[in-house]
Amino acid sequence: MTEKEKMLAGMEYSATDEELLRELNAVKEVIHDYNLLRPSDRDGKLQLLKQLLGHIGDDAIIINQPFYCDYGKQISVGRRFFANFNFTVLDEASVTIGDDCFIGPNVSIFTACHSTDPVERNSRREWARPVTIGNNVWIGGNVTILPGINIGDNVTIGAGSVVVNDIPSGSIAVGNPCRVVRTL
């Protein structure tokens, strides 16, 4: 298997693989172009997002600039999706976001995992876990979503939360670590 195939399969892989580094740099070029577009250039932004992302649903509102991601193709967003400024997605694994989701400013979604052992971490070996966000989810500003998290439908995640565990459908969850405080 190639290192990319290992990465996409959730296996340990080398983050310094030449093929992966070339792809990361190519995506950075597209991201650079996206972030330099005029805010009023909706068609240009949509065109670059369709080139960059694995899937973008109909009636997607848009992703405000600046936007950052690693690979892009592992990101799927549903219908009427909106993300505010400084949306960052480390998509070494799939990131699936449902319909009618709203992402506040400075939200980060991480799929990449690294060893807590410094010797292992310095080997530049890592692995990735997918993140799934259901339909009708609102994620407040400055939220961080960690690898392997599933957020159900009809959920609100409060600003500043760090999501370290799955959040069930019909919940309002807040805090660090993020926890359910109310069920709808």
Side-chain angles (χ1 to χ4, degrees):
M1 295 178 84
T2 66
E3 295 303 303
K4 182 174 183 178
E5 290 169 336
K6 290 177 190 176
M7 178 184 80
L8 295 175
M11 300 168 63
E12 189 175 286
Y13 66 94
S14 172
T16 59
D17 176 69
E18 287 184 28
E19 174 191 3
L20 292 176
L21 293 175
R22 275 193 303 276
E23 190 170 338
L24 282 167
N25 286 326
V27 169
K28 285 179 185 176
E29 294 292 330
V30 177
I31 292 289
H32 176 79
D33 292 345
Y34 182 84
N35 288 332
L36 289 178
L37 288 172
R38 296 190 62 78
S40 60
D41 188 359
R42 178 174 166 69
D43 291 339
K45 289 194 276 188
L46 198 54
Q47 180 182 0
L48 284 179
L49 286 175
K50 286 181 177 180
Q51 173 187 337
L52 186 65
L53 303 183
H55 171 79
I56 184 164
D58 296 335
D59 305 324
I61 297 171
I62 216 67
I63 298 174
N64 279 342
Q65 301 135 301
F67 165 59
Y68 304 99
C69 68
D70 277 342
Y71 294 94
K73 291 297 180 191
Q74 282 80 253
I75 302 170
S76 172
V77 300
R79 299 182 72 217
R80 296 174 300 277
F81 172 79
F82 171 75
N84 216 322
F85 307 105
N86 291 314
F87 183 40
T88 300
V89 183
L90 304 187
D91 60 312
E92 281 68 15
S94 66
V95 173
T96 305
I97 302 172
D99 296 337
D100 297 300
C101 289
F102 299 93
I103 307 289
N106 303 309
V107 168
S108 297
I109 299 174
F110 305 138
T111 66
C113 303
H114 308 276
S115 176
T116 56
D117 178 273
V119 174
E120 289 177 19
R121 186 172 52 247
N122 289 338
S123 75
R124 305 302 192 258
R125 309 262 331 142
E126 57 187 58
W127 61 97
R129 298 291 179 259
V131 170
T132 303
I133 298 170
N135 297 315
N136 303 307
V137 174
W138 176 23
I139 298 175
N142 296 305
V143 168
T144 301
I145 300 171
L146 296 184
I149 296 299
N150 293 298
I151 296 173
D153 295 333
N154 306 309
V155 168
T156 298
I157 304 291
S161 297
V162 179
V163 185
V164 300
N165 294 303
D166 292 350
I167 305 295
S169 293
S171 298
I172 297 173
V174 300
N176 181 4
C178 189
R179 62 183 175 73
V180 175
V181 295
R182 190 167 138 212
T183 302
L184 303 176

